[in-house]
Amino acid sequence: MITLALSKGRIFDETLPLLAAAGIAVDPAIANSRKLILPTADPGLRLIIVRATDVPTYVQYGAADIGVAGRDVLLEHGGEGLYQPVDLGIARCRLSVAAPEGFDYASAVRRGSRLSVATKYLQCAREHFAAKGVHVDLVKLYGSMELAPLVGLADAIVDLVSTGSTLRANHLVEVEQIMPITSRLIVNQASMKTRSDELEPLVAALSAAVAGEGAPAFAGVSE
Ligand code: PRT
Ligand code: MG
């Protein structure tokens, strides 16, 4: 039995069609239930539902053989013990710096001002500003980063942007794009070696589904 770790929300919603294209259906009644372990039409594959930031941890320790995680989550996690064989191209967004309308970020950077920046993405933010030679005091938050500059907690934020409507609603402007983000298939390195007969066809089928090739469908695995 292969265990695939997914987070509920956009990653789950965008992974199910790829699984379907790979020949692995998930019963909608089961997909919409509150269960955390979900069977699929394939008796050799089950899904587990975990927090987005916990997916790499489950796969790293082998509690799941395979998973789907955002590049943002993988960069913060570090990726130890994980293969990243396929960019699934889903849950697309970008990691950006945003600041209040009227805050002249570019000239603050030019002047060499010390900036306070609120973010959930400490590693990525630290590397980005270090590469630019900008001195920053990073403030770690776990959510609602957009609020921080509005109440004086920080000058700017580093957060994910998709449509930009959250920034607009809070009078923030995207002042710098750090990197594009998509979700990747991740595989436990030990599983990939010891269970390659089960995992390789699944990885190949999902890779073909991403490429829009339809075949080879995942023929299933014996238990
Ligand atoms: O939400 P929860 O706290 O449960 O966990 P999570 O935020 O880690 O999970 P989830 O499902 O929201 O995000 C999972 C993955 O989706 C992330 O790791 C990203 O790789 C990817 N993704 C794609 C996004 C977005 N787009 C996105 N827009 N993750 C978050 N957002 C948030 C963003 O943080 C901001 O608050 O949406 C808001 C901006 O959206 P726009 O459309 O207003 O620009
Ligand atoms: Mg979220």
Side-chain angles (χ1 to χ4, degrees):
M1 171 80 83
I2 297 175
T3 300
L4 168 66
L6 288 175
S7 54
K8 267 278 159 84
R10 62 193 109 221
I11 287 182
F12 187 79
D13 297 343
E14 295 184 40
T15 300
L16 285 200
L18 293 177
L19 284 172
I24 305 160
V26 179
D27 181 339
I30 293 173
N32 295 324
S33 75
R34 303 184 75 89
K35 286 188 182 302
L36 298 176
I37 302 181
L38 312 180
T40 69
D42 191 302
L45 181 75
R46 66 176 182 173
L47 312 181
I48 61 170
I49 305 300
V50 305
R51 279 296 292 268
T53 44
D54 293 334
V55 169
T57 308
Y58 277 83
V59 178
Q60 176 186 4
Y61 288 100
D65 304 290
I66 190 164
V68 178
R71 182 183 183 196
D72 51 319
V73 166
L74 290 167
L75 288 171
E76 292 299 311
H77 171 271
E80 312 95 84
L82 303 174
Y83 286 127
Q84 302 183 23
V86 186
D87 183 344
L88 298 173
I90 61 169
R92 197 176 284 276
C93 58
R94 55 197 182 268
L95 186 70
S96 294
V97 183
E101 293 165 6
F103 179 81
D104 193 346
Y105 173 78
S107 73
V109 166
R110 266 196 311 275
R111 287 196 311 273
S113 312
R114 197 169 184 99
L115 295 176
S116 67
V117 176
T119 188
K120 177 157 109 176
Y121 304 99
L122 289 184
Q123 303 295 342
C124 292
R126 191 176 292 121
E127 276 179 34
H128 173 70
F129 292 112
K132 282 176 64 89
V134 176
H135 294 286
V136 288
D137 294 311
L138 295 176
V139 181
K140 166 82 182 183
L141 292 178
Y142 292 86
S144 299
M145 269 76 80
E146 296 85 0
L147 180 63
L150 308 182
V151 295
L153 181 61
D155 300 313
I157 63 171
V158 167
D159 194 12
L160 301 176
V161 181
S162 162
T163 61
S165 54
T166 307
L167 293 182
R168 278 191 295 279
N170 292 291
H171 305 288
L172 299 174
V173 180
E174 190 175 10
V175 291
E176 204 160 64
Q177 297 193 4
I178 300 177
M179 66 177 83
I181 303 281
T182 49
S183 287
R184 283 104 206 276
L185 200 62
I186 57 174
V187 184
N188 176 278
Q189 285 180 354
S191 297
M192 197 61 174
K193 294 198 183 80
T194 58
R195 312 185 63 186
S196 61
D197 51 332
E198 293 168 276
L199 282 167
E200 273 175 13
L202 176 58
V203 172
L206 286 170
S207 174
V210 171
E213 289 163 13
F218 180 54
V221 294
S222 52
E223 278 174 276

